[in-house]
Amino acid sequence: MIDFEKLKQIILNNNSFLLTTHVNPDADAIGSEIAFYQLLKKLNKKIVIYNPSQTPYNLEFLDTEKTIKKFSPEIDSNICNDVDVLIALDFNKLDRIVSMKDAFNSSSKIKICIDHHQDSENFVDELFIGLDYSATAEIIYDFIKKTRIVELDFSLANPIYAAIMTDTGSFRFERTTPALHRIIAELLEKRVDPGEVYDKIYDQSKFSKIKLLGKTLNSLMLTANNQIGYMILTQNDFSEVDGIESDTDGFVNLSLSIENVRLGILFIELKSGFKVSFRSKGNLPVNKLAAEFGGGGHINASGARFHDSKLDEFFPIILNKAQEYINKYQ
Ligand code: 5GP
Ligand code: MN
């Protein structure tokens, strides 16, 4: 059980807040920030939001007041000391905020983390972790309902809805329960338009993103008796279609949509280093697989980032390890 009273006291007893979220933010990351921003605004608090990444263009509609700023290590090194409280949303390991981690870590201010991922690192003063929640934004919803700290209105309901919709794979993953649908019902009563949110997030793609998807699918291979489907995107692929990393959000799921495949992997070469996304079905714990390489996540969705390493070198090592997991978890 999350100690919501403690969280409430931290909010009420302080005046200024910095919100941040993980690199390559998804709709739960941005939605949680905007919901928390709206909550704090209703309490007349001072709020800034700084992220290590640019907001992906399909999530910009959530940032209705254009509050989110991209952190610049040269210009913004002091921002984490200019507020009373730092709030980490939707991540629980310091290295998930890459360029911001030194500024965050060296700050002497109160630090808290609100998140729903496993294996939290002890990088803040207070962890508010709820592993049973479908999304970090659902924790914020519950916090509002249980403490009545503010009234739930459209400005809160819309980002919370967007976050839950995306983190549950549009209401199909494990944590899509009757109770969650009751929460959704309440959000819709606050005039959230599900068709509009879906359209903005998933159906307003840039041409370059769909071309990049084509390249990704072209690279698809099967291995381990057709139980692993993997895809590779190189820097060359990105430059050929003018694509960017955030365009790849959701691509990995397609490797799981093939018969017999239990483990889907997407390798993405970055300007420096590379990133791997893992998705699985059933009891195959890809969070453990990712943890073998310093990453993390959930049992069926995880990832790892390699900041300086070469993809060519690690590709066979990762694929071998993935095959071991296929054999171990039948
Ligand atoms: P994605 O593959 O969509 O980037 O990430 C899937 C899940 O894995 C997310 O829940 C995310 O929190 C987690 N994840 C992705 N990359 C990393 C990483 O480098 N480190 C950790 N600890 N978790 C990651
Ligand atoms: Mn999340």
Side-chain angles (χ1 to χ4, degrees):
M1 278 289 276
I2 299 181
D3 190 346
F4 284 136
E5 268 313 309
K6 191 183 241 176
L7 178 57
K8 184 178 178 180
Q9 289 315 313
I10 293 172
I11 292 170
L12 296 181
N13 292 337
N14 289 283
N15 284 321
S16 59
F17 298 81
L18 178 143
L19 312 181
T20 191
T21 192
H22 57 80
V23 63
N24 200 14
D26 54 15
D28 189 24
I30 301 294
S32 294
E33 289 185 321
I34 297 303
F36 221 85
Y37 168 82
Q38 293 293 345
L39 182 159
L40 294 170
K41 207 176 111 180
K42 288 180 196 303
L43 300 168
N44 295 317
K45 305 292 182 183
K46 279 196 197 143
I47 319 121
V48 289
I49 310 179
Y50 279 92
N51 291 340
S53 309
Q54 192 85 31
T55 304
Y57 60 80
N58 63 331
L59 303 178
E60 276 171 7
F61 76 100
L62 293 170
D63 187 11
T64 45
E65 298 173 28
K66 300 274 165 275
T67 323
I68 300 177
K69 295 197 176 76
K70 182 169 183 229
F71 176 79
S72 154
E74 293 81 33
I75 305 165
D76 305 316
S77 59
N78 239 334
I79 48 157
C80 293
N81 281 312
D82 289 346
V83 293
D84 303 327
V85 183
L86 307 177
I87 307 185
L89 292 163
D90 198 43
F91 70 99
N92 61 31
K93 288 187 170 66
L94 188 60
D95 73 0
R96 297 281 287 143
I97 49 173
V98 286
S99 61
M100 256 182 96
K101 75 177 183 194
D102 291 339
F104 186 97
N105 200 35
S106 60
S107 165
S108 55
K109 305 299 177 172
I110 302 168
K111 294 171 200 161
I112 69 174
C113 165
I114 305 172
D115 184 44
H116 69 136
H117 295 100
Q118 300 187 346
D119 305 322
S120 330
E121 220 173 62
N122 210 357
F123 73 115
V124 291
D125 301 298
E126 295 290 346
L127 282 168
F128 298 99
I129 306 282
L131 296 179
D132 295 336
Y133 290 85
S134 66
T136 299
E138 191 197 340
I139 303 178
I140 299 172
Y141 167 89
D142 208 19
F143 173 57
I144 293 167
K145 296 304 285 186
K146 292 218 168 100
T147 61
R148 298 165 186 253
I149 187 165
V150 295
E151 184 97 13
L152 184 77
D153 65 8
F154 178 81
S155 73
L156 290 152
N158 208 47
I160 292 173
Y161 177 89
I164 297 176
M165 180 190 84
T166 53
D167 258 28
T168 57
S170 302
F171 313 111
R172 70 189 204 278
F173 296 158
E174 203 186 354
R175 290 179 198 144
T176 309
T177 57
L180 186 72
H181 274 294
R182 287 189 188 96
I183 292 174
I184 296 302
E186 188 182 348
L187 300 177
L188 298 190
E189 280 161 7
K190 304 294 174 191
R191 292 186 299 106
V192 171
D193 180 338
E196 191 181 312
V197 174
Y198 190 95
D199 183 75
K200 285 191 164 136
I201 294 181
Y202 292 123
D203 287 341
Q204 295 291 335
S205 298
K206 294 248 194 299
F207 184 62
S208 60
K209 174 179 173 139
I210 302 302
K211 297 293 280 183
L212 197 63
L213 175 61
K215 288 198 174 285
T216 313
L217 290 175
N218 243 331
S219 75
L220 178 64
M221 300 286 278
L222 296 177
T223 184
N225 267 338
N226 300 339
Q227 294 178 89
I228 298 179
Y230 65 90
M231 307 185 288
I232 306 171
L233 266 179
T234 63
Q235 278 297 300
N236 198 33
D237 294 326
F238 281 100
S239 50
E240 273 179 21
V241 299
D242 217 7
I244 52 172
E245 187 194 338
S246 63
D247 286 339
T248 63
D249 196 33
F251 287 6
V252 62
N253 296 318
L254 286 161
S255 55
L256 258 199
S257 65
I258 307 161
E259 59 177 346
N260 299 321
V261 170
R262 292 195 287 135
L263 174 56
I265 313 177
L266 175 60
F267 297 90
I268 302 175
E269 190 184 27
L270 304 172
K271 284 202 183 83
S272 158
F274 67 97
K275 142 181 186 171
V276 194
S277 287
F278 300 103
R279 296 292 185 273
S280 70
K281 284 184 180 166
N283 66 346
L284 206 155
V286 286
N287 51 337
K288 289 193 179 151
L289 177 56
E292 306 254 7
F293 303 103
H298 310 273
I299 176 166
N300 295 129
S302 70
R305 255 168 205 270
F306 296 67
H307 294 288
D308 304 305
S309 318
K310 284 241 172 305
L311 175 56
D312 291 356
E313 221 172 276
F314 274 86
F315 168 76
I317 300 170
I318 296 170
L319 215 52
N320 264 334
K321 191 53 86 178
Q323 281 166 351
E324 273 177 33
Y325 272 70
I326 284 284
N327 294 334
K328 191 166 163 194
Y329 296 91
Q330 293 289 342

